[in-house]
Structure formats: structure tokens, C-alpha cells
Amino acid sequence: MTAVVPQRPTGGRLVDQFEYGLDAPICLTWELTYACNLACVHCLSSSGRRDPRELSTAEAEGVIDELQRMQVFYVNVGGGEPTVRPDFWHLLDYAIGHDVGVKFSTNGVKLDRARARQLAATDYVDVQISLDGATAEVNDRVRGTGSFATATQALENLAEAGMKDFKVSVVVTRENVSQLDEFRALTDRYGAQLRITRLRPSGRGADVWDQLHPTQAQQRELYAWLLANGDRVLTGDSFFHLSAYGEALPGLNLCGAGRVVCLIDPVGDVYACPFAIHEQFLAGNVRGEGGFQRVWQQSDLFQELRSPQTGGACTKCAHFDACRGGCMAAKFFTGLPLDGPDPECVQGYGESALAARDLDLVTPRSHLDHSHTGPVRGQPTLLGMPSIPAKTCDESPLAGLRLG
Amino acid sequence: MTSAPAAAVFDPALPWRRARSVALRPEPFGALVYHFGNRKLSFLKSKTLVTVVETLADHPSADATLVACGVPEAQRPAYLRALADLARSNMIEPRESL
Ligand code: SF4
Ligand code: SF4
């Protein structure tokens, strides 16, 4: 079946043009591996173990060649932890050599002083260190014991090497939303830039979303903070659902899934969005005939996503033009209809929709889970799981004991 | 990263060109503009504007380019504003020779 392609208007606002899709993505995320040294509780891709079907070096180079032909000028590389791929540094150079700039996200595990110097000397590469608390206490509860120290060591190495414009990337949660000013102070200290994004119920994030997503009161504070500080902080335009509070936030206020955004996962599968790793949003594989270009330009799924929303409860809402009904992935993984309100709808319609869900509704789960199966060093404690020592030399019987 | 040169003040009577570190990617509504130096993205919202930017280098001035591309008189101010924006973000640059 081929989707009926709706007629694109001529002229008008860019956001209206984007609804009909672009010839190549603007914001392409490429996850290089499902392997990760950490086991963050909210990992959007349920990463941990490498998948044996991951793209080989030659296949990854093929993807880069194709991105160059399609004039995709930069990609957001992630994982898993991308730097644990042995060919990571080679692929980085290969991409840059083919006019595809790279912005990569890392927990910092491989960013020693030598790598930091190498990065500082390379043009067209951007580094983002993930940190989900401005203090070790808040961060390590979700990312694992020792992960704050690893990340801040990497930041220090980058700063010392003279790297410019690197980023600290924060997923805003109920536990760290009160630390936004502290995050700013921390990033300022390293000469870095702060980037904050929204927590979505994707991957393992679905298991902790109820517990970690900001409350309504916190969302309002976040909105006020963004209006006051928005020009100095990056957001990946991920909080556009907050625009329904009144003033539109700067940036693209639109769900870009399959329109201007997509994900290539480690095995070459192409999904509408990095937060939508589910068969329903799987458009094809880069290994197929016609490669990535064919998936992006011709897959039925992406054609379907490239039309403006015309029905559903949100289109009747006075704030629809600002908020556009919010995030498709957030609705999907909480079991809400895709044309209805976002679960974090600032008008409160999401909360009532969540409350009205069928009691025995089973929320959709991804068919993929690469989570570590055994215990992981420094495992996060949020879920009340016993943490095993961060370092093997920490084996003192009193290590980790909390008195009082 | 090298810091971007200061943007030139846009004077439509002078000769201009698409900046050398800028690439245009055709899109159904116009084009996506990418600057490899400062890594900024921008968009050209009409195909005529794409032709204007691509042919700036063939004409003695920005004004002359608009005439050559058949931009109607009534739309000239809008096009000049768009070009001034592009100059401010270093997407187009002044050219020495005619
Ligand atoms: S599904 Fe959500 S995260 Fe993905 S593009 Fe849409 S709004 Fe953004
Ligand atoms: S009802 Fe829909 S459009 Fe209105 S504010 Fe809520 S999510 Fe946004």
C-alpha cells in the first residue's frame, strides 16, 4: 500500500513546510553500538550489550558516503556508548573527511587527556558529555556509582586541552530540575555549554518515567527558567510542549519524527526518532536496496508521518499551534492515542488521559532490549537494587555504608 | 574551531557571492543552507531566492541579481531583507571583483 501524499503548500511558515518532510534529515541520530559500560536507569535505547548484527566498519563507511551524497551535513552520534566501538575514532575521521560533521554523546569513559587533545585539534567535531545531576549524589543514582567522577574528569580533560564549545547534556528529571542553576555554574566552570533535554518514556525510561518525569509544578518552573535563560542554554527544541503555557519557546515547535528527524540504530534499522525504537516506527534498514536514501525518501511509514495532523482532541485545543500535541514517542509509550494530548500536557489533559487508561492496558514495549543481564559495576541505585562496588579496590566492608 | 570573521554590512549595490564555506541543499520549498565554518543552519524559503543566492556571483551587484532573476518590484524589499539576514550570518559574503 502506498500512502496518499498530501499536497505541500507553497510559501508560508517553515514549520508548516517541515510537516511535509525534507529531502534529507536535518537532525539525524546514529547510534553506533548497543554496548555500554553503564546501565543508566532511563536509557532511551535499553543499551548494555553489543548486538552481533551491528554494522561493520565497511558498512558504516558506506552509510557515511551516502550521507555525504545526500548532503546531510552533520550527524548526532550516540549509542550505547559510541566510543567503546574500536573503530569509533576511525569513523569519526572518516565522516569529517567526507563533509559529515559529527556531534557525539558520551559518558566520558574514553576521554583521557590524549583523546581530549586530539578532539581539540579536530574541526567539525562536537562533544556532548552526559550528566544527569549537578552533584554526584543526584547523578549517580540514575547513571551509576562513579559516573559523575568519570564525566567531570572528561570535562576537565577537554577544558585543559583547550577544546571549545563542548556541551554538558542533561536529561531533566524530577530529581535534578531544581539544579538547573548549579548545572549552569558547573558548565561555566569548564567553559562548556549547557544542553538540557526532556525525559521520554522510551527504552528503560519507560520503567522509571512515572518516578522521574517532572511534576506539573516543576514543568512550570522549568518553563519560567527557559524563558529567562533560554538564550544561553541548548534544548534540542525538546520542550516545545511547554509552549502551551503561553509564550512559544524559541526553536522548532513540532514533532520532527520522520519529517526532519530520524534514527539509524546500530544494526542499520531506521526509526522515525531515537525515542521511538519500536516496530511501529521502523521504516527500513540501510542494508536494504536503495540504502538509507530510499528509506528516508520513500518508505510508507515516513510518507504517512509527513502530513499535518487534522483530527484528534488536540486540534481543538487553543494551544495547538504552539504545542502541536507534544511528543509522539511520549504518548505512544505511555499508551495514549497519538492524536491526543501529550502525557505532560501543561493544560493537564495528559494527566486525565493517563488516569483514564484502561486498568489492564499493557503499554507498548520495544521488541529490543540490550540491557546488561548480570550486575554492572557501579549500578544505579534508583531502583533499590543492591549496588556492587564501583572499584574493585573499594572492597572494604564499610565501603558504601551510610551511617545514620 | 576558528572564529568566524565579522559579518559584512549588506549593501545591495555591491557585488556578493554565496560564502565559500557554505553549501546549499535543494529542498521542495527552496533550500537548506549550511555553513561549514560556524556550523549554522538556515533556510531559503523560495526557489527564486535559491536562484538569487546561487547567481549573486554572476552579477555586478545584489540589485542587478534581483533584476536578472525576475524578482517583482513589490517583492524586492522582502528579498533584500532576506539577503541582509544571510549576510549577517555570513552565509553570503562580499566579493572583491565585478
Ligand atoms: S517523537 Fe518526540 S522526541 Fe521524537 S521527534 Fe517527535 S517530539 Fe521529538
Ligand atoms: S491539549 Fe494537546 S495541544 Fe493542547 S496543550 Fe495539551 S498537548 Fe498541547
Side-chain angles (χ1 to χ4, degrees):
Chain A
M1 194 196 82
T2 24
V4 184
V5 184
Q7 198 61 44
R8 175 191 294 271
T10 341
R13 300 179 305 172
L14 265 179
V15 60
D16 296 326
Q17 290 292 335
F18 286 178
E19 284 196 314
Y20 292 87
L22 297 183
D23 284 357
I26 303 178
C27 186
L28 169 66
T29 298
W30 185 6
E31 296 184 345
L32 287 181
T33 178
Y34 279 116
C36 188
N37 52 310
L38 298 182
C40 305
V41 293
H42 58 324
C43 177
L44 76 162
S45 54
S46 297
S47 287
R49 291 166 295 134
R50 180 183 174 273
D51 192 305
R53 301 165 301 157
E54 289 179 3
L55 299 180
S56 68
T57 305
E59 285 173 315
E61 289 173 356
V63 170
I64 293 168
D65 294 341
E66 209 186 345
L67 297 180
Q68 182 181 28
R69 280 197 301 276
M70 290 175 74
Q71 290 187 285
V72 174
F73 299 113
Y74 67 91
V75 290
N76 304 301
V77 164
E81 170 51 48
T83 61
V84 304
R85 250 188 93 122
D87 59 359
F88 173 78
W89 305 99
H90 163 75
L91 290 175
L92 184 68
D93 287 340
Y94 190 90
I96 293 163
H98 288 77
D99 287 344
V100 180
V102 172
K103 174 156 59 167
F104 74 94
S105 296
T106 173
N107 57 43
V109 66
K110 300 281 182 186
L111 293 193
D112 57 18
R113 291 169 134 184
R115 288 300 184 197
R117 276 196 300 272
Q118 173 188 345
L119 287 171
T122 315
D123 265 342
Y124 311 126
V125 60
D126 244 334
V127 190
Q128 237 165 242
I129 310 283
S130 305
L131 205 63
D132 294 327
T135 51
E137 197 193 0
V138 173
N139 177 80
D140 290 6
R141 245 166 77 77
V142 292
R143 303 188 57 84
T145 310
S147 61
F148 184 84
T150 305
T152 44
Q153 182 61 57
L155 291 171
E156 210 169 300
N157 294 343
L158 288 169
E160 189 191 277
M163 180 84 184
K164 292 278 177 300
D165 293 327
F166 58 103
K167 276 115 197 142
V168 173
S169 188
V170 175
V171 176
V172 178
T173 67
R174 196 171 300 177
E175 300 185 351
N176 69 19
V177 65
S178 58
Q179 294 188 311
L180 290 173
D181 290 323
E182 282 174 74
F183 275 118
R184 258 264 298 281
L186 181 143
T187 46
D188 283 352
R189 205 153 64 234
Y190 295 107
Q193 214 181 349
L194 179 59
R195 176 174 188 268
I196 62 175
T197 56
R198 184 178 172 192
L199 171 73
R200 283 95 168 186
S202 312
R204 287 196 292 274
D207 305 331
V208 292
W209 187 80
D210 282 337
Q211 202 178 337
L212 283 186
H213 81 94
T215 63
Q216 285 271 342
Q218 288 177 330
Q219 292 212 77
R220 200 167 247 297
E221 278 166 41
L222 172 61
Y223 173 71
W225 193 89
L226 282 170
L227 286 184
N229 300 279
D231 50 333
R232 289 178 55 202
V233 61
L234 304 165
T235 62
D237 300 343
S238 68
F239 295 107
F240 67 89
H241 68 297
L242 299 180
S243 293
Y245 275 130
E247 219 175 300
L249 294 167
L252 178 64
N253 294 330
L254 169 80
C255 169
R259 293 164 162 163
V260 298
V261 172
C262 80
L263 165 75
I264 302 179
D265 94 337
V267 304
D269 277 339
V270 182
Y271 294 91
C273 162
F275 295 92
I277 302 184
H278 187 281
E279 277 161 326
Q280 185 161 330
F281 302 108
L282 175 58
N285 189 289
V286 300
R287 285 174 169 137
E289 198 189 321
F292 172 70
Q293 180 159 11
R294 175 129 170 213
V295 179
W296 177 262
Q297 292 179 350
Q298 294 177 30
S299 67
D300 286 350
L301 173 71
F302 285 3
Q303 299 290 337
E304 270 164 48
L305 290 172
R306 288 170 197 168
S307 57
Q309 182 179 335
T310 47
C314 281
T315 52
K316 296 183 198 75
C317 169
H319 305 284
F320 181 66
D321 197 50
C323 140
R324 304 258 166 170
C327 170
M328 178 185 80
K331 299 184 227 197
F332 181 76
F333 287 112
T334 49
L336 297 184
L338 298 189
D339 61 358
D342 187 287
E344 292 181 304
C345 161
V346 299
Q347 301 299 316
Y349 298 124
E351 274 186 2
S352 20
L354 288 174
R357 281 177 307 182
D358 219 328
L359 272 183
D360 39 36
L361 171 98
V362 185
T363 51
R365 299 288 304 186
S366 177
H367 55 299
L368 289 183
D369 188 354
H370 293 85
S371 301
H372 292 286
T373 46
V376 176
R377 179 178 297 181
Q379 187 155 292
T381 51
L382 179 86
L383 301 176
M385 287 180 291
S387 174
I388 57 169
K391 296 198 199 81
T392 29
C393 60
D394 262 351
E395 295 290 18
S396 149
L398 290 179
L401 182 71
R402 282 251 187 108
L403 299 171
Chain B
M1 207 183 78
T2 42
S3 59
V9 177
F10 181 66
D11 180 347
L14 295 179
W16 291 80
R17 57 172 297 158
R18 167 172 57 78
R20 273 153 293 185
S21 38
V22 161
L24 296 191
R25 179 174 100 194
E27 288 294 345
F29 57 84
L32 178 152
V33 191
Y34 185 71
H35 193 296
F36 280 98
N38 62 25
R39 286 178 263 171
K40 286 223 159 59
L41 273 185
S42 186
F43 296 90
L44 305 181
K45 290 208 295 178
S46 85
K47 300 214 168 178
T48 311
L49 183 56
V50 178
T51 317
V52 168
V53 171
E54 287 292 31
T55 57
L56 278 173
D58 306 333
H59 301 283
S61 70
D63 281 328
T65 315
L66 294 187
V67 173
C69 293
V71 174
E73 193 62 42
Q75 286 181 27
R76 300 259 315 256
Y79 274 77
L80 290 175
R81 267 199 308 278
L83 288 175
D85 279 344
L86 290 167
R88 209 169 306 122
S89 50
N90 295 302
M91 298 297 192
I92 61 174
E93 61 193 14
R95 157 175 128 241
E96 299 299 320
S97 60
L98 289 189

